[in-house]
Amino acid sequence: MTTDKELADLIFPDVSETIDDLEARYPARNLKEGAEVTRFAPSPTGFLHTGSLFTSMVCRKVATQTGGVFFIRLEDTDTKREVENSRTILFEQLKSFNIIPDEGYFGNEEKGLYGPYVQSKRADVYKVVIKHLIEIGRAYPCFCTPEELDEIRKEQEEAKLLTGYYGQFAKYRFISNDERKALIESGKPYVIRFKSLGNHVKKIKVHDLIHKDFDIAQNDLDIVIFKSDGLPTYHFAHVVDDHFMRTTTVIRGEEWIASLPIHLDLFEALGWEPPKYAHIPLILKLDEEGHKRKLSKRLDPEAAVSYFIEEGYPSEAVIMYLMTIANTNFEEWIFQHHFKDMDQFEFSFDKMSSDGSLFDINKLTFFSREILANYTKSEITDAILEYAKKYNKDLETLIENDRTYFEEIMNIERERDNPRKDYDKYSNIYDSVGFFYDEIYGDLISNPSILPFNHEKFSNSIIKEVLQALYDNINLPDEESDWFANIKKIGGSIGFAENNRAFKENPDLYKGVVADVAEILRITLTCRKNSPNLYYVMKVLGLERSKQRIAHMISLL
Ligand code: GLU
């Protein structure tokens, strides 16, 4: 009679290592009390989802905050679903958000003592554990063909039973080792299945750091742990890897909650203590009817991390925004800390909503404006240049041709206590600053009929009168207040009230208010209704260029 041990040797004749050898190869980590070992475990099956960036941010934060270790493991056992280049892009994207692991796989390099960190290179480790499970009678070869599996499913559906390979339906559970041996020797293809002792009618109590305590049906599926391609399945690889990589807290997407009983079943069979679990809720979005739904790759550009990179949201802003989703108290904290020193914030799973949070692009834009306003002129120029090199060659040229001039533009009302928040994302910068460059300004102004003058209020002849008075009298003193006093004076000289109150008291007396004069000047100098502070715009352009633009506009109208 073939024993379990003999069957295990027949299946894995070359595996001589034992579980104890693995325990010695991957010793317990020598970390201080409370230090958490976390991991981000992406599969190279496509683009980096915003939810995955969110998860990786939480992993990084928890490890940093507790003085622990954060590592990355590439889960590439599903070779059929692998998307070309995605493993490289994934890591470039993580890097751009400063999600850098302490150890593990990172693009083309790997570091750390618990590797390899790429699952396809860990077959020898999995084989040792599977051999052990066969030896102790908790795993067996299954020779089911897809047709047989189909039949089982149909039978279960007809009997209105739970579908799957379990209990009496797990047909290759019941054959003898001699029969198994004969089938293997006859060359019949097989996979290895775990032998569960559970019963799905029973409930088990589980604890999740976010979802807290709940009951869930016990596992009784004899899941495939080793596929015919020689690689393990996710469930099995997760258990083995997180055990031997000494992960203390598994932080992963909520979609894995349903699989938790399988994982706990495997941990129990192996006699290993499971890690803590934190299942991160989905990021949601409101649809047109106001219903919450999952961020969708097909419908929502912001579901892909590449969107934020291509649109040019500063990575800090994205991370800061995601932290507001992660912890309900973060927003107030970061306001108090003037959008700085995010590392000092104490993250807590207790402050994470278990229901899923709504993604709000307006709030992200708000953070983006804050971050960009708080950069020095040189920092923002560096960041924009880096973006422009990849996504906007014209912008790159503008900056490279005269960096000092670009910095002057960026420096308008910056580096002060309450800096102006003129910019939201890098992809809008070219359009925002174009008018500072004579060539672009020339293009903008070539069609004066589309300039945003308020023709309902002012005819061309009044606009011209305003511009002529400005041309004749405008100056550029050292103080903004003197400059504005002069604009008021110029307005006054041609019938514009100094302020709204004066205008409202005697509307018939005036053509408009000084704000109208400023708007006409703004549109003339910038071709826009919104621009940075006009006085400083003139400072950058200089008095002569400003006057030339005024004269040119007069000639066009
Ligand atoms: N490779 C799995 C995924 O990409 C990871 C799940 C986990 O973190 O354990 O969904």
Side-chain angles (χ1 to χ4, degrees):
M1 197 186 85
T2 313
T3 62
D4 289 337
K5 171 89 178 72
E6 283 161 355
L7 182 68
D9 282 336
L10 176 70
I11 296 175
F12 295 110
D14 302 328
V15 175
S16 54
E17 265 188 305
T18 63
I19 296 264
D20 285 344
D21 293 333
L22 292 180
E23 294 289 348
R25 198 194 314 171
Y26 302 115
R29 291 171 185 268
N30 194 7
L31 295 169
K32 71 174 174 44
E33 175 86 23
E36 298 287 352
V37 180
T38 64
R39 88 302 188 269
F40 178 56
S43 301
T45 49
F47 72 120
L48 187 63
H49 193 280
T50 302
S52 303
L53 177 65
F54 183 56
T55 302
S56 66
M57 173 195 79
V58 175
C59 293
R60 175 68 276 177
K61 180 75 180 164
V62 169
T64 308
Q65 184 171 296
T66 57
V69 175
F70 165 57
F71 70 87
I72 293 187
R73 177 172 72 227
L74 190 72
E75 303 208 323
D76 61 344
T77 58
D78 195 348
T79 40
K80 285 193 218 92
R81 287 180 57 223
E82 175 140 5
V83 173
E84 215 189 322
N85 285 335
S86 63
R87 52 178 76 200
T88 323
I89 296 170
L90 215 82
F91 292 99
E92 272 168 21
Q93 293 184 333
L94 284 176
K95 204 148 114 203
S96 69
F97 290 94
N98 212 17
I99 307 287
I100 314 277
D102 302 310
E103 67 180 55
Y105 177 80
F106 206 55
N108 293 326
E109 47 174 322
E110 238 193 80
K111 67 170 185 192
L113 301 174
Y114 293 82
Y117 296 87
V118 177
Q119 285 183 333
S120 60
K121 294 190 185 150
R122 296 176 62 78
D124 63 323
V125 175
Y126 305 126
K127 283 180 188 166
V128 172
V129 183
I130 292 170
K131 189 172 184 183
H132 167 78
L133 283 173
I134 298 172
E135 280 170 7
I136 63 168
R138 293 300 304 272
Y140 61 91
C142 167
F143 304 87
C144 260
T145 59
E147 293 75 36
E148 281 176 283
L149 290 172
D150 257 5
E151 264 169 41
I152 296 175
R153 193 178 35 82
K154 273 194 209 129
E155 191 187 329
Q156 290 166 331
E157 279 170 358
E158 273 162 27
K160 299 209 171 9
L161 290 169
L162 222 60
T163 55
Y165 202 83
Y166 64 92
Q168 84 258 30
F169 300 103
K171 59 191 273 192
Y172 285 98
R173 202 196 242 219
F174 303 106
I175 65 170
S176 69
N177 278 348
D178 287 342
E179 288 171 280
R180 289 173 178 143
K181 185 169 177 245
L183 285 168
I184 292 170
E185 283 171 350
S186 76
K188 194 161 163 68
Y190 62 92
V191 296
I192 307 283
R193 286 188 184 267
F194 170 61
K195 182 173 165 187
S196 173
L197 305 182
N199 178 352
H200 67 247
V201 176
K202 289 194 189 141
K203 299 263 183 206
I204 49 168
K205 290 201 178 307
V206 289
H207 180 78
D208 178 279
L209 296 173
I210 301 164
H211 300 266
K212 306 302 171 201
D213 295 313
F214 58 95
D215 291 347
I216 190 166
Q218 202 172 43
N219 175 59
D220 59 2
L221 293 172
D222 281 5
I223 58 143
V224 174
I225 53 179
F226 199 63
K227 301 177 288 173
S228 50
D229 63 3
L231 287 171
T233 53
Y234 166 73
H235 303 303
F236 182 71
H238 147 55
V239 169
V240 173
D241 290 347
D242 284 314
H243 174 71
F244 286 118
M245 292 176 177
R246 310 298 175 188
T247 305
T248 60
T249 302
V250 166
I251 301 167
R252 62 184 178 186
E254 200 176 63
E255 66 274 20
W256 295 109
I257 279 200
S259 311
L260 191 53
I262 297 177
H263 304 155
L264 295 175
D265 203 3
L266 284 165
F267 273 108
E268 200 180 326
L270 286 159
W272 296 339
E273 192 189 331
K276 288 174 273 184
Y277 282 95
H279 288 94
I280 300 277
L282 294 172
I283 300 184
L284 305 168
K285 186 161 169 154
L286 282 186
D287 66 14
E288 282 81 54
E289 277 113 50
H291 301 303
K292 285 183 184 174
R293 64 164 173 78
K294 198 177 153 181
L295 262 193
S296 126
K297 178 181 172 182
R298 200 169 45 83
L299 301 172
D300 311 310
E302 67 271 36
V305 161
S306 55
Y307 171 77
F308 306 112
I309 299 174
E310 284 157 21
E311 286 294 301
Y313 288 96
S315 56
E316 272 174 277
V318 176
I319 293 295
M320 210 174 259
Y321 169 63
L322 290 179
M323 193 54 92
T324 66
I325 299 186
N327 264 188
T328 42
N329 57 329
F330 175 71
E331 197 167 334
E332 194 183 332
W333 187 96
I334 199 74
F335 267 80
Q336 281 165 0
H337 289 77
H338 309 287
F339 304 92
K340 294 197 185 88
D341 303 326
M342 201 180 139
D343 295 347
Q344 307 298 317
F345 175 73
E346 191 77 15
F347 167 86
S348 154
F349 283 114
D350 291 336
K351 297 236 161 56
M352 187 180 268
S353 147
S354 58
D355 297 339
S357 305
L358 284 178
F359 190 87
D360 179 353
I361 197 92
N362 294 327
K363 205 182 236 181
L364 168 62
T365 305
F366 170 86
F367 278 105
S368 193
R369 280 188 191 279
E370 289 291 340
I371 296 287
L372 292 179
N374 280 303
Y375 281 164
T376 64
K377 65 179 178 190
S378 163
E379 283 167 348
I380 192 169
T381 303
D382 284 343
I384 295 170
L385 184 57
E386 199 186 314
Y387 171 85
K389 279 184 178 157
K390 261 184 131 169
Y391 299 105
N392 189 334
K393 286 285 158 200
D394 292 338
L395 181 58
E396 181 191 357
T397 310
L398 287 188
I399 302 172
E400 299 278 24
N401 281 351
D402 191 347
R403 179 171 171 127
T404 314
Y405 184 64
F406 188 82
E407 284 196 1
E408 245 183 276
I409 299 169
M410 287 299 119
N411 206 32
I412 290 177
E413 293 189 292
R414 182 178 293 279
E415 299 182 28
R416 47 161 72 193
D417 279 349
N418 191 10
R420 258 182 82 109
K421 303 176 183 87
D422 283 316
Y423 305 107
D424 57 0
K425 51 182 178 177
Y426 304 137
S427 54
N428 284 339
I429 301 272
Y430 184 80
D431 286 343
S432 305
V433 302
F435 69 83
F436 281 105
Y437 295 86
D438 290 337
E439 213 181 282
I440 302 172
Y441 173 82
D443 289 344
L444 293 171
I445 206 166
S446 59
N447 184 0
S449 66
I450 61 160
L451 292 175
F453 286 120
N454 187 346
H455 289 293
E456 273 167 30
K457 222 164 158 187
F458 305 112
S459 64
N460 267 358
S461 73
I462 293 185
I463 296 172
K464 265 166 115 167
E465 189 189 353
V466 171
L467 288 175
Q468 191 61 51
L470 286 167
Y471 183 83
D472 293 338
N473 298 296
I474 200 159
N475 61 3
L476 196 49
D478 289 340
E479 292 298 328
E480 186 184 349
S481 53
D482 293 341
W483 172 84
F484 192 58
N486 186 43
I487 298 282
K488 274 190 191 165
K489 199 168 133 204
I490 296 170
S493 73
I494 50 170
F496 283 78
E498 268 201 4
N499 54 45
N500 280 332
R501 194 166 46 88
F503 180 77
K504 278 197 188 124
E505 278 169 12
N506 281 305
D508 297 340
L509 224 58
Y510 300 107
K511 294 187 181 114
V513 266
V514 66
D516 297 319
V517 175
E519 182 170 292
I520 290 170
L521 179 60
R522 185 185 309 277
I523 294 170
T524 300
L525 297 181
T526 71
C527 303
R528 307 167 62 105
K529 258 186 138 152
N530 301 306
S531 77
N533 179 318
L534 202 48
Y535 167 69
Y536 291 101
V537 167
M538 274 188 66
K539 281 271 186 188
V540 172
L541 291 173
L543 184 59
E544 271 327 296
R545 258 164 99 207
S546 303
K547 285 182 73 169
Q548 275 165 18
R549 289 187 180 192
I550 296 170
H552 186 59
M553 186 66 90
I554 295 171
S555 74
L556 288 175
L557 289 170

